[in-house]
Amino acid sequence: MKLGFSPLTAGLSYPKSFDLAAQLGLFLEITYDQHEMDPRLPGARELAEMGRAAGVGFTLHLPFVDWNIASLVPPMQRLSLERTQRAILFGAEIGAECGVLHTGLVPLRLPEAVAQAHRLLNSTLEKLELAIPVALENLGLFQTDLLETPAELLALLEAHPRYGFCLDVGHAQIQQGPSGPQTYQRLLGHRLIHLHLHDNHGHQDEHLPCGMGTVDWAWVREALGGFAGTATLEVTGGEAGVRQSVALLLGKNLD
């Protein structure tokens, strides 16, 4: 397993993130929305060069802010598709090993609205050109999330074999309870290419450092024993939060 962390979630600048990643042998998960919002951040070419200089690789979180590829409003849906495609090309330029994609929202929970949102999501997944591997992430945190169950995400992945699965263990625990990560792993483990790792107490998306909540990290370590893909720490707490999480997952003191 290759392990990395999200600079945005950790609250670290790129210089500090590259230094920490190089020191610990981690990659960085870049948040594409952050680059759209802040023109001061490096472009794809500069970011790729920073990675080469530091010996640090990347994964990419595709857009999710003010974004909805299942939107019932055509201009919003088209813009979300365009942003996602640009982000995938950004990921290819920085050499990202994979991109993580959310599966859309439908605030209007009427049967026809939900059915139309599913049609739009499926259409978008068909249209996207995948210059990097893309993993669909489990959500189900809020009533507005289009997909509400592990079975729905399984059906979507079976209908779209080009895509992999990103298991977010924190989301799974909130949605399904303490055994949520195991449920997703059992149903979708054959499509697993990436993970998001962070902790919570089972009620809200806290993004705590690993070991600060109630996620079963012993099970996670066992499940990752033979995993050859990538896993990103989406943890708060700055450098200390990253170090604590790496130490718990790898079973060694990094101080």
Side-chain angles (χ1 to χ4, degrees), residues 164-187:
F165 170 47
C166 170
L167 171 57
D168 188 305
V169 297
H171 294 174
Q173 171 163 280
I174 295 167
Q175 183 198 37
Q176 296 280 312
S179 63
Q182 293 94 316
T183 299
Y184 272 101
Q185 169 69 4
R186 185 176 66 254
L187 287 178

Side-chain angles (χ1 to χ4, degrees), residues 150-162:
E152 285 182 288
L153 183 53
L154 174 62
L156 186 68
L157 284 166
E158 293 299 319
H160 298 278
R162 296 189 300 153

Side-chain angles (χ1 to χ4, degrees), residues 46-241:
E46 184 181 354
L47 194 62
E49 182 53 40
M50 292 168 69
R52 283 190 289 270
V56 170
F58 302 107
T59 58
L60 179 69
H61 201 306
L62 296 164
F64 62 92
V65 177
D66 293 336
W67 167 100
N68 184 8
I69 53 173
S71 176
L72 303 178
V73 180
M76 169 63 86
Q77 201 274 335
R78 287 194 298 269
L79 178 59
S80 297
L81 171 58
E82 292 167 6
R83 288 176 61 201
T84 304
Q85 189 64 72
R86 285 197 298 269
I88 289 172
L89 296 176
F90 180 96
E93 194 166 356
I94 67 173
E97 293 203 35
C98 76
V100 179
L101 183 63
H102 287 188
T103 49
L105 309 168
V106 58
L108 188 64
R109 302 304 298 197
L110 299 175
E112 182 52 37
V114 173
Q116 175 65 357
H118 277 284
R119 287 192 289 268
L120 291 166
L121 173 60
N122 278 278
S123 174
T124 298
L125 295 180
E126 287 293 334
K127 290 176 181 176
L128 286 171
E129 298 179 11
L130 305 187
I132 58 173
V134 173
L136 305 184
E137 180 180 359
N138 58 291
L139 295 167
L141 301 176
F142 306 104
Q143 191 177 15
T144 54
D145 288 325
L146 176 57
L147 302 188
E148 298 181 290
T149 67
E152 285 182 288
L153 183 53
L154 174 62
L156 186 68
L157 284 166
E158 293 299 319
H160 298 278
R162 296 189 300 153
Y163 294 84
F165 170 47
C166 170
L167 171 57
D168 188 305
V169 297
H171 294 174
Q173 171 163 280
I174 295 167
Q175 183 198 37
Q176 296 280 312
S179 63
Q182 293 94 316
T183 299
Y184 272 101
Q185 169 69 4
R186 185 176 66 254
L187 287 178
L188 296 107
H190 62 294
R191 301 290 292 275
L192 182 67
I193 64 171
H194 188 62
L195 293 100
H196 279 167
L197 306 176
H198 50 96
D199 218 332
N200 60 64
H201 293 91
H203 306 296
Q204 59 183 342
D205 202 17
E206 298 172 89
H207 285 270
L208 299 173
C210 301
M212 296 292 288
T214 57
V215 167
D216 184 352
W217 293 107
W219 176 85
V220 173
R221 287 194 299 268
E222 182 179 354
L224 295 180
F227 180 58
T230 48
T232 295
L233 297 166
E234 283 193 321
V235 299
T236 54
E239 180 177 339

